[in-house]
Amino acid sequence: MRRGVVSIIIPTYNRGPLLDETLASIVAQTYPHWEAIVIEDGSTDDTAMRMQRWLTDTRIQYIPRDPATPGGGCAARNQGIAIARGEWIIFLDADDILSPQCLQQRTDILRQRPELDFLVTNGFVFKQSPGDTPLLWNADTNEPDIDRYLRKDIPWQTTGATLTQNAIKKIGAWDELARSGQDWDYYLRAIINGCNYARAGAPDFYWRAPDESRDSIGGQSRSAEHLKHRKVMIERIHNLLRDRKMLTLRRKTLLVGQLTLVAKQLVHAGDRTAAMETWQTAKRLGLVTNKQYLEYRLYLRFRHRLGDRLKPRLDQWPSGSFITMSGTHTRTPVDRDDKPEVSVVMAVYNGKDYLRRSIDTILAQSFGDFEFIIIDDGSTDGATDILREYAAGDPRIKLVIRPNKGLTASLNEGLHLACGTYIARFDGDDLADPQRLYKQVMFMRQHPQVVLLGGAHEFIDQHDRLLTILRPPTDNANLQEQCLDGTTPICHPLAMYRRDAALKIGGYDESYLVAQDLDFWLRLGEVGELACLPDVILKYRLHDKSVSEKKQAMQVANMKRACETAWVRRGITDRQFKGAAGWRAQDDADTKLRQTLKFGWWAWNSGQRATARSYGWAAVKSAPTKLAAWKLLLIPMLKAAPKPAGGAS
């Protein structure tokens, strides 16, 4: 046994892409002393191929299940126990996810509580991505855990338990003949066999709810194959309670409830013989009277013809004789006092024309664990009324309305209001990909050294038409070099950064009225790494509004100042500034024409023939004597558009 190491045992069968997410959540742990033992249970998908990239981490093992066993998750877990070297053990399903602080929290508590055989923490329910369902696995109640298990109100999920080696010895092996319900049997044996345990800590994992698109044990649990062994497990639990003198009258009644449920489900599954054998167990164990035995036997056999006549008799049985759905299991809302994982920060100054669509793309994110902080920076065009309407309809929105202070001050205000681990920037005229927050959060969890994350993005015009795609480098070295050159590779409204890192460097420098992002990126790059996703996660809108020459000059000057001060901080000499204000038009006709031509050729090279032709017409109308304008019009009319290249650089 290796002290301080957590052994995470993961049975897997055809969970390829989901297993990737599970392993990514382990690699992203802030606590580094773990081993992950993946037991392959005969997958026929691409799991083996996917596992190759994970095996570069020596803490991860990928082991085929012992062919001498009957197979299934229980056999895989027993095999993992035999291999595990850690002081503590977690049984993790191959489609569930640990929060980044999970192992740190649990090991801290177990070190403080050495008398415990195992620790229990709660978890969140999710469907597609963590945070998309505001529910806990279950809530604590005052009822004894044995009784809760017996009435099928499962107090904790398997991943929520962290067991010591001593607990493993007390409980014994997982029942390898059980096809489902094995968790129920295992943790009831843990309690009955005298394991000392406690609930402590915040929810620290995500349990993936079953859906129709994937083959899950939960979906198979009512088949006759799965149900038949339940009788064996129920009788084993009865005998343990009896032998430990823990078989109270209430528990006898709840065991009856277990047997009535399994017998009824077997009838529904089409195996009446197995149903009658299961119900016979209740009589053999002395849990029901002869009258009760005969009444329910008749109900099982003739429920369609005599159900209405028998039901009043069954209603007179003791409470608990028939299992009812738990009111708390996967139905307990998350306490909204809990801090969200992401704070989306948006500053708004006018721009009502695009505001609704932009906000909708954030509220429709597949990742739901976020707050949306909107600073109305003195809007005068009716945008405030739109923001009030949205804030009244969605509790995730925190709206601040005040006089104009400028973008930089607004961003700092949003940063200090934020509660999330990560800050996601956004602007009120852009469109976020539905998976934007999910993809960024998953990356940040997996790469704790990264403090700032960007991504690829589309340039669109005021009519939502694609112009081009910008794909910055993805690695820290190249991103740092471009920032030091003054070329700003990370698009501000799609950036995600760590709140603690942002506060550590003092937030945005409010002496920068423009180019505040480049200065901020350079300073973040001094406390951690930068990265970009290769995926397109934002549509960045380019307006047909002019930017004054004075503001463009200020932007270039501020970019140069940000670089020069960064060079001094980093001890860099003889560096050349390469920044420029870029493609924005000014108030004169020449620069407006250049912008029209730029947008048109971007669209052409992106395969957008109709859009390019539209910009060609606009160019000819504004400058009918210019050859460049006619060229942009005629080429899209006469030639097929090229296949899209990699996008603008």
Side-chain angles (χ1 to χ4, degrees), residues 307-343:
D308 291 341
R309 293 171 58 185
L310 289 168
K311 191 173 185 305
R313 298 185 182 184
L314 301 182
D315 289 342
Q316 297 175 17
W317 287 27
S319 174
S321 300
F322 302 97
I323 299 293
T324 57
M325 185 177 292
S326 166
T328 56
H329 177 223
T330 67
R331 290 171 176 78
T332 300
V334 175
D335 183 356
R336 291 319 303 170
D337 289 338
D338 290 346
K339 295 180 181 180
E341 191 163 6
V342 177
S343 297

Side-chain angles (χ1 to χ4, degrees), residues 348-611:
V348 175
Y349 176 67
N350 296 332
K352 69 173 184 178
D353 293 342
Y354 304 110
L355 195 54
R356 288 185 182 276
R357 288 196 59 213
S358 294
I359 293 174
D360 286 343
T361 65
I362 293 296
L363 299 182
Q365 288 291 299
S366 63
F367 180 89
D369 189 18
F370 67 86
E371 62 178 354
F372 194 179
I373 298 171
I374 305 177
I375 310 294
D376 184 350
D377 191 28
S379 296
T380 58
D381 70 342
T384 304
D385 293 335
I386 295 173
L387 295 175
R388 283 197 177 104
E389 176 189 331
Y390 273 92
D394 197 308
R396 294 174 293 183
I397 295 177
K398 297 180 180 179
L399 176 62
V400 176
I401 301 172
R402 53 151 175 75
N404 182 266
K405 294 183 181 180
L407 175 61
T408 315
S410 298
L411 295 178
N412 274 336
E413 188 170 350
L415 170 61
H416 287 92
L417 288 171
C419 297
T421 301
Y422 310 113
I423 307 293
R425 273 283 292 116
F426 191 60
D427 283 346
D429 50 4
D430 299 329
L431 303 174
D433 182 88
Q435 292 283 87
R436 177 206 161 169
L437 295 183
Y438 172 72
K439 289 179 178 180
Q440 289 188 301
V441 168
M442 290 300 106
F443 185 93
M444 295 292 266
R445 287 177 181 170
Q446 295 168 32
H447 301 86
Q449 76 280 12
V450 172
V451 294
L452 170 64
L453 179 63
H457 56 282
E458 294 181 2
F459 281 151
I460 61 172
D461 64 13
Q462 63 266 38
H463 304 297
D464 292 353
R465 296 177 300 190
L466 171 65
L467 299 177
T468 190
I469 300 175
L470 193 69
R471 299 186 185 277
T474 59
D475 63 295
N476 178 61
N478 279 308
L479 291 168
Q480 294 270 15
E481 286 297 306
Q482 288 194 14
C483 285
L484 288 167
D485 286 342
T487 54
T488 319
I490 295 177
C491 178
H492 200 177
L494 63 66
M496 177 177 281
Y497 51 85
R498 296 183 188 273
R499 178 173 171 269
D500 57 356
L503 294 173
K504 181 178 181 179
I505 65 170
Y508 291 87
D509 185 341
E510 295 188 19
S511 70
Y512 287 85
L513 300 181
V514 291
Q516 62 278 100
D517 52 348
L518 178 59
D519 170 71
F520 194 47
W521 302 166
L522 285 164
R523 289 185 289 119
L524 279 173
E526 292 163 14
V527 297
E529 293 186 7
L530 315 183
C532 276
L533 296 175
D535 305 343
V536 173
I537 57 174
L538 186 86
K539 295 183 178 181
Y540 183 99
R541 192 181 302 279
L542 301 179
H543 292 284
D544 192 25
K545 297 179 180 178
S546 65
V547 177
S548 70
E549 185 175 355
K550 180 180 178 181
K551 193 168 185 179
Q552 289 197 48
M554 181 191 300
Q555 183 166 353
V556 174
N558 279 1
M559 291 165 66
K560 191 170 187 291
R561 174 162 67 100
C563 288
E564 289 174 344
T565 54
W567 299 341
V568 172
R569 287 194 306 269
R570 301 191 189 193
I572 298 173
T573 58
D574 299 325
R575 190 89 184 199
Q576 184 178 358
F577 175 71
K578 300 177 182 177
W583 40 261
R584 291 184 178 87
Q586 299 172 18
D587 289 327
D588 61 284
D590 285 344
T591 59
K592 287 184 178 179
L593 175 62
R594 285 204 302 270
Q595 179 171 292
T596 300
L597 295 172
K598 181 84 167 179
F599 288 3
W601 288 119
W602 271 351
W604 172 253
N605 290 322
S606 297
Q608 307 299 307
R609 185 181 184 188
T611 302

